Amino acid sequence: MDFELPSELRQLRDSTRRFVAEALMPLEARYANEPDIPDDVRRGLQDQAKALGFWAFDLPESVGGGGIGAVGRCVVFEELARCNVPAFRAPTVFTPYLGPVLFHGDARQQAQYLMPVVRGDKRTCFALTEAEAGSDPAGMKTTAVADGGDFVINGAKIFITGADKADFVQLFARTRVDGKDQGVSCFLVDRGTPGMRLGQSFDLMSPDKPWELLFENVRVAASQVVGGVGQGWQLAREFLDAGRLSHGPKAIGRAQRALDLAIAYANTRHTFGQPLAQRQAIQWMIADSTVELHAARTLVHHAAWKAEQGLNYHLEASAVKLFADDMLVRVVDRAIQIHGGVGLSRELPLELMFRDARSRTITEGSSEMQRTIIATGVLSGRERVDRFDT
């Protein structure tokens, strides 16, 4: 087994690290506690990324992307996550917020929806979660009822990131045709479609600000269904697996920064005539964080490798999200403890990182839900975690 990154990925990592230090970190003091950065700032940074050849680095070459696979995506996301600026928690400076669903669209859908997102001309959002169907998507209440050549959609979604700026929504709804339940389908609903509107926004403990989306007799053509009627669960699962995998490098990048801050402080802060670094309690916290970070990084790269090989990584994606997000909470908490009172202040980024870390153990599937997914798959014998499992 070769655990060393290929030279091209090391070069990409180093270039991304420079970009973060030179272009992104100077923005942190101003925007760290904002839900988003201004559109003109985002466009300027995207233009810089495009000029450097970073844009859409992880998308297939067939759609104009860089063709770097899942491992490369994790390497870049880890570097971007060191910066406490909203756009880089969902790193839309280097690649569009897209997900895999639109790649299942037909030729018209790809031309009208996929390619504009790839170019950065349009933005989208993913609407699955409901008030009574978060970790239990089988309880989905939003419906799409066939009516002639159209579907009429009614219902509501909550905690939808980016809904306020999306040009179209990837919406999941329970579908009925001729009075019969056809399962869940995915619909592309354009902004401005009559009956679709924003509801309330949610101020979270992290700076993120998701939205409620309301649908009242929203009529869309049957041609707006992605992948066929009743294929929504498979599309949603593919989206969630990719999203849960991406939680890993983002958690690692932020945890690495917290650990680096803790190490620097422990080496410079003196108490009772000695640096903190000589205290066993501090050494053990540093050691635990170092081990957990290494374990998380190895887990992430293994899952990403399986994704690149086209292997089933459903359980690994849940394992990544469970372990990496919980690890982030612990590492940032230790870093705050090592810093003492100053760690609680806004003089340092740690308090924001802790708020963000705590929210991650719930978003895109709680830690408890990931444990249930893993245990159910393993106990039933349907799935297993195995490097060579197809």
Side-chain angles (χ1 to χ4, degrees), residues 161-219:
T161 301
D164 57 324
K165 295 185 177 181
D167 294 289
F168 65 95
V169 178
Q170 300 172 62
L171 170 70
F172 291 78
R174 188 165 295 282
T175 314
R176 295 186 67 82
V177 178
D178 296 328
K180 296 180 180 179
D181 188 348
Q182 299 295 320
V184 172
S185 303
C186 178
F187 297 84
L188 302 177
V189 186
D190 293 308
R191 182 172 61 187
T193 299
M196 182 175 73
R197 62 183 177 87
L198 288 173
Q200 72 175 103
S201 61
F202 298 89
D203 291 318
L204 307 182
M205 62 187 298
S206 68
D208 297 319
K209 192 171 185 176
W211 290 81
E212 180 184 34
L213 270 173
L214 303 174
F215 302 85
E216 185 176 356
N217 295 324
V218 175
R219 184 174 289 272

